[in-house]
Amino acid sequence: MATTTEKISEQMRLITQQGKMPPWYLKDLYRYLSAFAVLTVIYIGFRIYQGEFAVSTGLDSTDPVFETYWMRLFNFNVTFVTLFAGLSWGYLWFSRDKNLDTLEPKEEIRRYFTLTMWISVYTFAVYWAGSYFAEQDNSWHQVSVRDTPFTANHIIEFYFNFPMYVILGGCAWLYARTRLPLYAKGISLPLTLAVFGPFMILVSVGFNEWGHTFWYREEFFAAPIHWGFVIGVWFAHGVGGILLQGVTRLIELLDELEEAA
Amino acid sequence: MSANRSPRVFLAYTGEKARIVRAYDYLILVLALFLFIGSFHLHFALTVGDWDFWVDWKDRQWWPLVTPLIGITFPAAVQAVLWTNFRLPLGATLCVACLSIGTWITRIFAYHYWNYFPINMVLPSTMMPSALFLDAILMMSNSLTVTAIFGGSGFALLFFPSNWPIFAMFHLPIEAGNSQLTLADMFGFQYIRTGMPEYLRIIERGTLRTYGQVATPLAAFCSALFCTLMYALWWHIGLWFATTRYLKKI
């Protein structure tokens, strides 16, 4: 009887312990979930701001209130993403691991999990930029008349959402390059494609807006001046190669781990 | 996570290793969900989006041709990776389900709640039956050629019948202003789109109106041919991107 009670107590202790702290390979789980929460608040906040002020202040770029409500937001966005890029990329570079040759298999496994979390947060930002706010742009163009490249949706989509996923993709690339031996010895082609390809979407804003100086309307969304964005997003398929690289290495590392219960 | 390794050396993980592997699977699932909503939706919206956004663009000549043609691209590329390496027969269904989630969220919150377009005017089409068929053909045949020919054709041919129960009611004829038009056309006239003059809609062009409703199956079979080719092309694009190479410099 006593043995059974002890076993139950031990099980309960283990469960409680597991409930409080994630296992070692998910050490960054709470940071990962926090990143999702922060980004969700930001993006939904943008949408609420648009719902509140776009129709009342965002239809005429010559109106002084447009300057107050939208160009100030544009200036804030550009400043914020510039600072965020410098801080996040700088932190990842200056805190890099300079002793990768002595990395233990367990620690390397944990870092592969963290890399996957970085890429996952990157794809979450890709969702908001490539799905929600991208198609919302079509909706806005069909109820307003474009008189500026800085519309109520472009200011958020082109000058916050696009740079944000570029920054987070860069973070994933830098994390891999500075903390994982295989990515430090060679430059992963699929990771580079998956990060630098969608980066070209940001650059395509220039082509798109140049095209719209000839055709100010959005006659149809599938117009060729939008296809630069399309080609950029194809490179997201590089994630398949990252998955294969990660799985192959994880299998090797798991083989090096001793069996645990 | 289970790589495509020889059965001779593969042993199922147990204990902590099994938990590690399962946790990695969940991380990949979350990653894939947002990746394919974001990327496939952008690709789709900027190539054939207009036919999907608006009910009055859903015609018999272009919509059944162009939508499956672009809709089969990402599914083929993802199938190439997931089936070849992991024997997961769900690449097409994953992509199309992600696309559906993305389009539905946007239509409701960006079109309906922000700009007051009636939700019936902006209902997204579905490619779920087509995707399930494509995955089933690949799983049963384990062949790129068979899937391209029969799966690709089926993907296109199933598109219109899958969507007809959703959109048929909007093709009912009505009379307005002494003209006969469809209910879908009426939406277009009532809810003015400032960027889209009526004459710029790319729908039902041409002069041979005696084709009547035969235009739809003709468009579907034309799409079937193109989808066969598009499938094979995008299978290889998917494999090309899924490289595992490391470079010395970029």
Side-chain angles (χ1 to χ4, degrees), chain A residues 206-220:
Chain A
F207 172 61
N208 174 58
E209 292 302 330
W210 174 80
H212 279 299
T213 61
F214 298 94
W215 305 282
Y216 72 93
R217 287 184 300 199
E218 295 275 338
E219 283 88 353
F220 50 102

Side-chain angles (χ1 to χ4, degrees), chain B residues 101-123:
Chain B
I101 292 168
T103 50
W104 268 104
I105 291 172
T106 312
R107 301 302 157 80
I108 290 169
F109 290 101
Y111 288 80
H112 185 58
Y113 283 123
W114 191 20
N115 293 322
Y116 306 109
F117 288 110
I119 196 67
N120 277 340
M121 188 181 179
V122 292
L123 283 177

Side-chain angles (χ1 to χ4, degrees), chain B:
Chain B
M1 182 182 80
S2 59
N4 186 22
R5 305 181 80 194
S6 159
R8 188 170 57 82
V9 295
F10 181 81
L11 290 172
Y13 293 120
T14 56
E16 187 177 47
K17 287 185 182 179
R19 288 196 293 276
I20 292 172
V21 165
R22 183 49 51 93
Y24 191 72
D25 285 344
Y26 283 124
L27 281 181
I28 294 295
L29 270 177
V30 175
L31 185 158
L33 175 74
F34 291 116
L35 174 72
F36 292 120
I37 299 178
S39 58
F40 191 24
H41 190 180
L42 186 67
H43 164 90
F44 188 80
L46 293 175
T47 45
V48 292
D50 306 86
W51 286 272
D52 202 61
F53 304 150
W54 312 109
V55 71
D56 57 338
W57 273 67
K58 291 180 171 61
D59 66 325
R60 300 170 296 183
Q61 201 177 33
W62 287 103
W63 178 51
L65 172 70
V66 296
T67 308
L69 185 60
I70 293 298
I72 203 169
T73 52
F74 271 49
V78 176
Q79 276 189 339
V81 177
L82 293 185
W83 179 253
T84 309
N85 297 287
F86 301 95
R87 282 294 179 264
L88 285 173
L90 48 77
T93 311
L94 170 72
C95 286
V96 169
C98 286
L99 179 66
S100 291
I101 292 168
T103 50
W104 268 104
I105 291 172
T106 312
R107 301 302 157 80
I108 290 169
F109 290 101
Y111 288 80
H112 185 58
Y113 283 123
W114 191 20
N115 293 322
Y116 306 109
F117 288 110
I119 196 67
N120 277 340
M121 188 181 179
V122 292
L123 283 177
S125 56
T126 181
M127 288 186 288
M128 282 305 289
S130 302
L132 288 165
F133 181 77
L134 194 63
D135 277 334
I137 294 290
L138 178 64
M139 183 177 66
M140 290 192 296
S141 69
N142 188 22
S143 161
L144 165 62
T145 309
V146 171
T147 311
I149 295 171
F150 295 102
S153 300
F155 189 90
L157 293 172
L158 279 169
F159 177 72
F160 198 86
S162 311
N163 283 281
W164 190 240
I166 305 171
F167 295 105
M169 59 182 162
F170 301 114
H171 288 261
L172 288 174
I174 58 167
E175 193 176 308
N178 293 323
S179 298
Q180 194 182 52
L181 61 161
T182 67
L183 197 56
D185 289 329
M186 200 63 191
F187 272 111
F189 292 130
Q190 289 293 319
Y191 293 90
I192 302 299
R193 286 159 293 196
T194 53
M196 187 190 294
E198 173 61 23
Y199 59 86
L200 277 176
R201 282 191 305 160
I202 304 176
I203 61 162
E204 300 215 3
R205 289 176 172 185
T207 52
L208 196 51
R209 309 315 300 158
T210 51
Y211 267 32
Q213 61 269 49
V214 183
T216 303
L218 287 174
F221 274 96
C222 180
S223 187
L225 167 67
F226 291 152
C227 276
T228 299
L229 306 172
M230 194 67 123
Y231 182 87
L233 174 67
W234 273 81
W235 174 281
H236 290 291
I237 288 175
L239 288 182
W240 184 82
F241 275 112
T243 174
T244 53
R245 285 175 60 199
Y246 290 92
L247 305 176
K248 292 279 180 214
K249 62 173 184 174
I250 52 171

Side-chain angles (χ1 to χ4, degrees), chain A residues 183-215:
Chain A
Y183 290 88
K185 284 176 195 155
I187 299 168
S188 164
L189 179 57
L191 180 59
T192 305
L193 291 175
V195 170
F196 283 76
F199 165 74
M200 295 306 290
I201 292 176
L202 176 63
V203 184
S204 291
V205 170
F207 172 61
N208 174 58
E209 292 302 330
W210 174 80
H212 279 299
T213 61
F214 298 94
W215 305 282

